[in-house]
């Protein structure tokens, strides 16, 4: 088995190796992008929690101001 028949399997093996290497590079890039997105989600979760606390503080402040206004309106 010399000639074209011998070279064909080598070419197929090289092609498969190159495709496998390309797939690994692509998967590595996808994993890096996923890691970045997970980091952003973690940051957004912290910001969302802080925003919720600020909203509650704002509601409490608004209620306090309304009570103060009512007391001032009742004063003679």
């Amino acid at each position: 088995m010399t000639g074209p028949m011998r070279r064909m399997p080598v070419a197929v093996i090289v092609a498969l190796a190159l495709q496998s290497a390309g797939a690994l590079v692509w998967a590595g890039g996808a994993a890096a992008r996923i890691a970045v997105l997970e980091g952003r989600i973690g940051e957004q979760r912290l910001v969302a929690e802080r925003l919720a606390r600020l909203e509650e503080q704002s509601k409490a402040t608004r209620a306090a101001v309304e009570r103060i206004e009512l007391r001032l309106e009742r004063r003679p």
Side-chain angles (χ1 to χ4, degrees), residues 5-26:
M5 292 302 285
R6 177 77 175 129
R7 291 185 184 189
M8 182 64 100
V10 172
V12 170
I13 291 171
V14 169
L16 287 174
L18 288 174
Q19 287 181 349
S20 297
L24 290 174
V25 168
W26 177 83

Side-chain angles (χ1 to χ4, degrees), residues 36-52:
V36 168
L37 291 174
E38 287 175 343
R40 287 183 185 173
I41 288 172
E43 292 171 3
Q44 289 179 353
R45 188 174 297 133
L46 294 174
V47 171
E49 290 174 8
R50 187 172 183 188
L51 179 60

